[in-house]
Amino acid sequence: MGLNAAAAAFYAFPVLISVLTVRFFYVLWHSGQPVSRPRATGLRCLIVLGSGGHTAEMMNILTTLQKDRFTPRYYVAALTDNMSLQKAQVYEQSLIQSDGAKTAENAHFMQIYRSREVGQSYITSIATTLLATLHAMWLVIRIRPQVIFCNGPGTCFPLCVSAFLLKVLGLGWSSIFYIESIARVKKLSLSGLLLYKLRIADQFFVQWPQLQHKYPRACYAGRLM
């Protein structure tokens, strides 16, 4: 009986690998294509915030979105980032005052472990990166976002990778929109470069024409600030 189970596992393993490979290339092919029909209800939206100007840029981008279409909104920032979620809360409060939106229903604020702190050694960052990835996977499974907006903070990479893995496994589908920071004039940030090279982002936007020339799969969005 043990031999039969081992033989079944031996034959099932290549089948599983083949299915996942086909699914992987299907996700790569399907990513970035327009939705076949508009949704009548809101889209669960995951918004990644970050220090160093990333949050200010992201909040500026959010002002251009249709709030009733991208709802509920889940704001995620690093555990050691004490300012970004406060800015998001102020923004959501302003929506309440302007149009009576219900922040208790439409906005949620969460934190995630950093993969690597500034100045942290690469050796010790192995453990923290693993912890951040597991935490990111748990958040994505819990939220099941349909849309992800990010613009370069390091915390966005494990979240986007987790969302991509769920697509490959058929457990959910998230459209990932990456908007490179306006501070990146000649080259992409590390997060942006990884998402671009790995083809994880469904839509990849840059704010400088020379970046679009250097990375042809990116879309030139003009200045968003």
Side-chain angles (χ1 to χ4, degrees):
M1 183 174 181
L3 292 177
N4 291 335
F10 177 79
Y11 287 110
F13 183 73
V15 174
L16 177 61
I17 295 299
S18 300
V19 170
L20 290 177
T21 301
V22 171
R23 178 70 184 178
F24 174 80
F25 285 105
Y26 168 78
V27 170
L28 287 182
W29 172 80
H30 195 272
S31 295
Q33 296 192 10
V35 181
S36 57
R37 57 183 178 179
R39 293 174 55 92
T41 58
L43 297 168
R44 288 189 305 279
C45 182
L46 176 61
I47 302 162
V48 187
L49 306 178
S51 56
H54 293 292
T55 293
E57 289 189 37
M58 181 57 70
M59 301 313 298
N60 189 68
I61 293 170
L62 291 180
T63 59
T64 66
L65 300 180
Q66 299 177 10
K67 308 304 180 296
D68 56 342
R69 184 179 180 187
F70 297 98
T71 182
R73 292 177 292 278
Y74 294 84
Y75 296 90
V76 179
L79 194 62
T80 55
D81 184 355
N82 298 319
M83 297 298 296
S84 293
L85 290 184
Q86 293 180 16
K87 294 178 181 179
Q89 290 168 349
V90 170
Y91 170 72
E92 290 292 337
Q93 289 295 330
S94 70
L95 295 181
I96 295 177
Q97 297 173 3
S98 62
D99 56 15
K102 297 181 180 179
T103 187
E105 297 178 1
N106 294 337
H108 308 270
F109 308 94
M110 316 176 81
Q111 291 181 298
I112 185 175
Y113 292 108
R114 282 186 185 271
S115 298
R116 181 174 179 267
E117 296 289 348
V118 177
Q120 182 180 353
S121 69
Y122 289 104
I123 298 298
T124 59
S125 66
I126 295 175
T128 55
T129 298
L130 178 60
L131 178 61
T133 302
L134 293 175
H135 192 197
M137 180 66 75
W138 178 80
L139 282 179
V140 171
I141 292 174
R142 175 184 174 186
I143 299 172
R144 294 296 175 93
Q146 294 158 295
V147 179
I148 297 177
F149 289 107
C150 53
N151 66 341
T155 50
C156 77
F157 183 70
L159 288 166
C160 291
V161 169
S162 298
F164 185 83
L165 287 177
L166 288 187
K167 289 197 285 188
V168 173
L169 295 174
L171 300 177
W173 192 278
S174 301
S175 295
I176 302 172
F177 295 86
Y178 182 87
I179 308 98
E180 185 59 278
S181 171
I182 195 172
R184 293 293 174 169
V185 179
K186 296 183 179 181
K187 63 179 182 179
L188 299 176
S189 63
L190 178 58
S191 298
L193 184 63
L194 290 172
L195 294 178
Y196 181 88
K197 292 293 187 181
L198 297 175
R199 297 176 180 263
I200 290 177
D202 293 83
Q203 294 290 336
F204 196 103
F205 298 96
V206 295
Q207 301 187 55
W208 294 94
Q210 57 267 37
L211 271 184
Q212 198 277 329
H213 295 151
K214 188 175 181 180
Y215 303 96
R217 284 191 288 105
C219 300
Y220 174 53
R223 313 293 192 273
L224 301 178
M225 285 294 288

